[in-house]
């Protein structure tokens, strides 16, 4: 059974299989390219570890992998290619101030980390006399904090 978390773009990150005893077959790590995979396989082999090549397709939607033993007896597998199936969430974070919003949506944002924001940003803002934001009420939870948009170029 191939599983992935809701925020992952790869086809899967966990493979479950039926076995006679509980346990884990290996830890797998994705590397950035085939060149890096080849370089790491050579380096691990140079340390004296036995490196095994596993062909693409042995796991669904996964490219070639290399496997080697860790000193603990576990196995480590590295791979560079896995089919991207997406999840509906973009690969990059959206602009914090999307253009074209109307009403309150265009004027303010609620921030869930008010204490952190207040202690790290507010003293700088007060020193420079810039209105970064204000609590909406003294009785609201910490997540009710209005962040005001500043003109571009303000540092």
């Amino acid at each position: 059974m191939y599983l992935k978390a809701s925020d992952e773009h790869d086809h899967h990150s966990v493979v479950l299989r039926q076995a006679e005893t509980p346990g884990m077959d290996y830890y797998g790590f994705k590397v950035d390219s085939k060149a890096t995979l080849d370089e790491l396989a050579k380096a691990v082999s140079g340390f004296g570890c036995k490196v095994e090549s596993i062909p693409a397709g042995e796991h669904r939607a996964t490219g070639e992998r290399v496997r080697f033993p860790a000193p603990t007896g576990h196995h480590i597998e590295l791979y560079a290619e896995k089919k991207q199936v997406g999840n509906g969430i973009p690969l990059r974070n959206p602009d914090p101030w999307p253009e074209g919003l109307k009403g309150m949506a265009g004027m303010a944002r609620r921030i869930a980390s008010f204490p952190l924001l207040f202690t790290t940003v507010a003293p700088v803002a007060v020193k420079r006399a810039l209105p970064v934001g204000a609590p909406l009420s003294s009785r609201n939870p910490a997540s009710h904090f209005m962040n005001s948009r500043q003109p571009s170029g303000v540092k």
Side-chain angles (χ1 to χ4, degrees):
M1 178 182 298
Y2 295 88
L3 304 171
K4 73 181 193 91
S6 64
D7 64 342
E8 293 179 299
H9 289 268
D10 284 349
H11 180 270
H12 65 275
S13 61
V14 175
V15 179
L16 299 179
R17 66 175 185 84
Q18 187 171 354
E20 292 183 15
T21 59
M24 181 181 65
D25 293 333
Y26 64 89
Y27 290 103
F29 298 96
K30 187 174 185 180
V31 298
D32 65 341
S33 68
K34 173 76 165 93
T36 300
L37 183 67
D38 294 340
E39 180 183 328
L40 290 172
K42 186 176 178 180
V44 169
S45 180
F47 280 116
C49 294
K50 179 184 175 196
V51 176
E52 177 185 354
S53 180
I54 302 168
E58 192 268 338
H59 270 184
R60 184 182 301 166
T62 305
E64 175 190 1
R65 296 177 291 155
V66 295
R67 174 187 289 196
F68 54 93
T72 60
H74 295 93
H75 284 91
I76 307 292
E77 289 190 7
L78 306 175
Y79 64 95
E81 299 170 357
K82 186 164 298 192
K83 181 180 179 181
Q84 297 282 297
V85 296
N87 60 14
I89 300 172
L91 292 172
R92 296 182 62 152
N93 288 335
D95 183 353
W97 302 103
E99 297 301 323
L101 295 178
K102 308 273 188 242
M104 282 298 292
M107 296 169 46
R109 300 283 184 271
R110 288 168 59 160
I111 297 178
S113 57
F114 168 70
L116 175 64
L117 183 68
F118 186 75
T119 58
T120 59
V121 176
V124 174
V126 170
K127 184 177 178 182
R128 295 185 182 163
L130 293 175
V132 169
L136 298 177
S137 158
S138 62
R139 288 188 267 178
N140 284 344
S143 63
H144 292 187
F145 183 83
M146 186 179 80
N147 184 11
S148 61
R149 187 175 189 173
Q150 298 299 318
S152 60
V154 173
K155 294 183 180 184

